[in-house]
Amino acid sequence: MTTPPALLLVGHGTRDDAGAEAFRALVRDLGERRPDRPVAGGFIELSPPPLADAVAELVGRGVRNFAAVPLMLVSAGHAKGDIPAALAREKLRHPGTSFAYGRPLGPHPALLDVLERRVEEALGDGAGRSPQDRAGTTVLLVGRGSTDPDANAEVHKAARLLWEGRGYAGVETAFVSLAAPDVPSGLERCRRLGARRIVVLPYFLFTGVLPDRVRMQAAGWAAAHPETEVRCAEVIGPVGELAELVWERYAEALAGDLRMNCDSCVYRVALPGFEDKVGLPQQPHHHPDDDGHHHHHGGHAHAH
């Protein structure tokens, strides 16, 4: 019997043990939801298991066809370059294999619903609250931040979609690294726009160093501005909606239905200040736990 195409979940990796375990828990959940499909997951850096081990495990189980899904919210350098390059390396390591590549998760309606739930949890018990409470709440959606302007723009898109129809006073955007505005600047913008209550909402899948930094910076700003109420929401987490979305991206990858927008990709378009990235060769990260990490292969690929 032919082994069906495997779901290969690809994560970036984190120095936070709880965040890495949340990824591994999601991989287990994905397998339980579709026991008829081989499932494995690996990281491109920082955390075990490395992507190479996940691929080798599946190959050992007879898998030859893979649908790789990047467990990332936006399409930045990792999704556009690092992961496709890593998959090209694995294809050379395992002759006869094929890899379909899915798109990042993006501001999917299911994830927007989870973000809304996280805001509500931060606001506290819903008993006795009214729509006016939402109208008096400004949300600061905080993304990771990237040197890729297209990725930063996707966070702004998520913020706008979260605002639409939910009755918040506003949803502003900030970043915890590599891009402006930073968290204190984002909070100050909310204050100057008249916010009296702000929910800081980390736009991250799992816990980690950067979400912790978001909370720390928000707490520091709040201590200096006691007149403004600041609450911090939790990350998305390995929830059922996330697992179902990953399977949706898996099906898209197998069908070749990616629907990616490359109009503002720095690897294709000469955006102001990023002209040197057009056509830039991509190389995979070298995971320290990858036994073959000293090997070098050419032919690195873009995600497009």
Side-chain angles (χ1 to χ4, degrees):
M1 185 175 69
T2 303
T3 304
L7 166 60
L8 179 64
L9 195 66
V10 188
H12 173 260
T14 174
R15 293 182 176 88
D16 182 83
D17 291 339
E21 179 53 34
F23 174 91
R24 293 188 286 264
L26 177 63
V27 172
R28 293 191 293 269
D29 183 23
L30 289 165
E32 291 168 359
R33 288 171 182 266
R34 294 287 301 273
D36 60 316
R37 299 279 162 163
V39 177
F43 297 100
I44 58 174
E45 61 177 343
L46 299 176
S47 307
L51 180 64
D53 285 6
V55 173
E57 175 199 338
L58 289 169
V59 170
R61 291 160 56 186
V63 172
R64 291 296 177 266
N65 301 312
F66 296 80
V69 176
L71 196 71
M72 296 170 183
L73 288 167
V74 301
S75 186
H78 295 307
K80 291 178 179 178
D82 298 331
I83 295 176
L87 296 178
R89 180 176 60 193
E90 295 308 311
K91 183 174 173 62
L92 289 171
R93 286 176 171 173
H94 303 282
T97 57
S98 66
F99 292 83
Y101 186 47
R103 57 177 170 144
L105 304 173
H108 191 279
L111 294 188
L112 293 172
D113 288 344
V114 177
L115 290 172
E116 180 182 11
R117 194 159 73 234
R118 296 291 178 255
V119 173
E120 291 301 300
E121 291 166 355
L123 288 173
D125 186 1
R129 287 205 283 115
S130 67
Q132 287 71 31
D133 293 314
R134 280 199 177 201
T137 299
T138 298
V139 177
L140 181 65
L141 185 71
V142 182
R144 181 187 189 279
S146 173
T147 57
D148 186 332
D150 187 34
N152 296 331
E154 288 187 33
V155 180
H156 279 267
K157 179 178 181 179
R160 182 68 205 192
L161 289 172
L162 182 63
W163 190 3
E164 293 283 352
R166 288 181 170 83
Y168 299 121
V171 180
E172 297 296 323
T173 308
F175 301 94
V176 72
S177 67
L178 300 174
D182 59 14
V183 175
S185 298
L187 286 163
E188 181 63 20
R189 174 177 172 80
C190 293
R191 186 189 70 81
R192 293 193 177 199
L193 289 171
R196 301 300 297 273
R197 182 195 303 120
I198 305 170
V199 173
V200 177
L201 177 61
Y203 193 42
F204 288 83
L205 292 172
F206 305 135
T207 59
V209 174
L210 293 180
D212 287 347
R213 189 181 301 169
V214 171
R215 282 186 279 272
M216 181 180 66
Q217 293 180 357
W221 186 91
H225 300 82
E227 74 284 358
T228 304
E229 180 185 354
V230 178
R231 302 189 182 195
C232 286
E234 296 297 324
V235 296
I236 291 171
V239 294
E241 292 93 335
L242 177 58
E244 290 301 322
L245 176 54
V246 169
W247 278 118
E248 185 177 321
R249 293 288 183 258
Y250 165 88
E252 290 175 357
L254 291 181
D257 178 23
L258 301 185
R259 290 175 279 173
M260 292 184 70
N261 182 1
C262 301
D263 291 345
S264 54
C265 174
V266 291
Y267 298 112
R268 283 179 173 261
V269 181
L271 297 178
F274 299 88
E275 293 86 353
D276 61 325
K277 290 195 173 185
V278 176
L280 191 68
Q282 302 297 302
Q283 299 189 23
H285 280 292
H286 295 305
H287 198 293
D289 296 328
D290 181 351
D291 291 336
H293 76 273
H294 57 280
H295 296 300
H296 177 76
H297 301 291
H300 304 310
H302 291 296
H304 302 285

